[in-house]
Amino acid sequence: MPRMIWSELSHLQLGKYAEYLMKMEFLSYGFDVFNTEVDDKGVDFVIKSGSGKFYEMQVKSCRDLNYVFMRKDKFDINNESLILVLALFEDNKMPDVFLIPAIEWKSPNNLLKDKDYEGLKSKPEWGINLSHKNLELLNKYSVKNMINKFK
């Protein structure tokens, strides 16, 4: 059985684990997976479906239900091929994974947030407000509900 004590990993270790896990997950569904040599545009890897369509994947990992964000200058919600892969880790179990198309942020709600921080130092961002109350909204993006949309 895998170790799965995620709380002992650093933030960077957890993020890298999530990225490799998702690459293997997409391979298991028959996608081709391509590494990006430089991650300066917020794309961690690219997948190609059996039909030949390419998707750019940005991976985020989280240990607790809190707030996760992507800077607006690195996450283009008009890019129909950009997908956020969210892995939620809890000790002693495999992570729950969600696939959220970037275009979903065109209609912000209690889960998907649009924050501009006008007049403040923080850069504008798209966010995910993770809470027990919002899990129902998040569940529609689970891998099992979304994976066939990308084939």
Side-chain angles (χ1 to χ4, degrees), residues 53-70:
K53 184 147 170 97
F54 288 88
Y55 296 95
E56 299 170 325
M57 314 306 280
Q58 183 173 104
V59 179
K60 293 288 184 181
S61 57
C62 187
R63 271 186 271 256
D64 301 307
L65 295 180
N66 51 28
Y67 183 73
V68 175
F69 69 93
M70 298 74 59

Side-chain angles (χ1 to χ4, degrees), residues 85-128:
V85 180
L86 176 66
L88 297 182
F89 288 85
E90 184 179 327
D91 280 351
N92 301 310
K93 64 178 267 205
M94 289 301 290
D96 293 320
V97 179
F98 305 89
L99 306 175
I100 308 173
I103 59 173
E104 292 290 304
W105 272 270
K106 288 185 176 188
S107 301
N109 55 32
N110 287 336
L111 176 68
L112 306 177
K113 296 296 185 183
D114 175 357
K115 296 190 176 188
D116 282 325
Y117 301 116
E118 289 184 33
L120 301 174
K121 288 184 180 180
S122 295
K123 298 204 181 253
E125 64 194 29
W126 302 110
I128 306 170

